[in-house]
Amino acid sequence: MNEVPNTIAMQHVEIANKLSRRLIQLRAARTLWHKDMNQFMDHILRVNDDGLSYDVFPWIIGRVRKGEKSSQPVSMGACQEFMPVVLRFLHSDRDEHLHIALVMVQSLLERFWEQLLQMSRNHLTNCQSGNLESLYMVLVTTVERVKVLCSCRNEVVSKEATAAYKLLQQL
């Protein structure tokens, strides 16, 4: 009879420890966010925690959308480095991961639209930026997955996927 309360107590301690570690990582990320974008991205990628990545996605999306108007704009290289996380979230079975990844894809397409479109029209010739080529290639590889997500049962995910897919089709 004491097994159930003991199991619940152990699970409570385990969850509290996980949340505590996540808070520490989030605080470290916030400190780096205000100091240096490269160190911030290195931290997020090194920690490799989907919870932490999910927490900071809105920060990154906000700076991507602000572009050069941001006090610390996110470079194309930093965006390209973050793409493995975006791809992992695009293949998640969690709707909130799918949604935030699709918003990121849309934000990247909108921010770098002219360069990506130029790359598309030049068929990858005369590329002067390895980051542009890498980002372009990764975004193009998302087309089929985004197309599948257009018919997702979650209306918010489906709507974001449809918007992203319409942009991706133009590349």
Side-chain angles (χ1 to χ4, degrees), residues 32-65:
L32 293 171
W33 175 256
H34 293 292
K35 288 184 178 182
D36 182 88
M37 182 54 81
N38 291 330
Q39 288 181 356
F40 168 80
M41 286 296 204
D42 288 344
H43 174 73
I44 299 304
L45 295 172
R46 186 179 67 254
V47 170
N48 195 28
D49 177 83
D50 284 350
L52 178 63
S53 296
Y54 181 79
D55 288 341
V56 302
F57 252 114
W59 303 355
I60 298 168
I61 290 167
R63 280 204 184 155
V64 167
R65 286 183 172 168

Side-chain angles (χ1 to χ4, degrees), residues 100-112:
I100 200 82
L102 288 163
V103 170
M104 181 69 172
V105 167
Q106 248 187 296
S107 299
L108 290 169
L109 288 166
E110 290 166 3
R111 163 80 187 279
F112 300 112

Side-chain angles (χ1 to χ4, degrees), residues 46-156:
R46 186 179 67 254
V47 170
N48 195 28
D49 177 83
D50 284 350
L52 178 63
S53 296
Y54 181 79
D55 288 341
V56 302
F57 252 114
W59 303 355
I60 298 168
I61 290 167
R63 280 204 184 155
V64 167
R65 286 183 172 168
K66 282 185 182 176
E68 298 304 318
K69 297 174 192 164
S70 173
S71 60
Q72 289 186 26
V74 180
S75 70
M76 188 179 293
C79 293
Q80 187 268 327
E81 286 180 29
F82 199 62
M83 287 308 292
V85 178
V86 175
L87 292 174
R88 189 168 65 241
F89 274 48
L90 278 176
H91 289 87
S92 173
D93 57 357
R94 300 184 67 182
D95 289 341
E96 60 272 15
H97 287 186
L98 295 170
H99 176 256
I100 200 82
L102 288 163
V103 170
M104 181 69 172
V105 167
Q106 248 187 296
S107 299
L108 290 169
L109 288 166
E110 290 166 3
R111 163 80 187 279
F112 300 112
W113 183 250
E114 292 303 319
Q115 296 101 313
L116 292 165
L117 199 56
Q118 184 67 30
M119 169 148 276
S120 173
R121 289 184 178 148
N122 288 338
H123 304 289
L124 301 176
T125 60
N126 302 326
C127 180
Q128 297 178 4
S129 169
N131 291 329
L132 176 59
E133 185 176 355
S134 296
L135 185 60
Y136 174 84
M137 294 304 291
V138 172
L139 287 169
V140 167
T141 65
T142 68
V143 172
E144 289 306 313
R145 177 61 180 158
V146 171
K147 183 179 180 182
V148 168
L149 294 174
C150 289
S151 57
C152 180
R153 71 191 179 305
N154 181 302
E155 188 177 320
V156 174

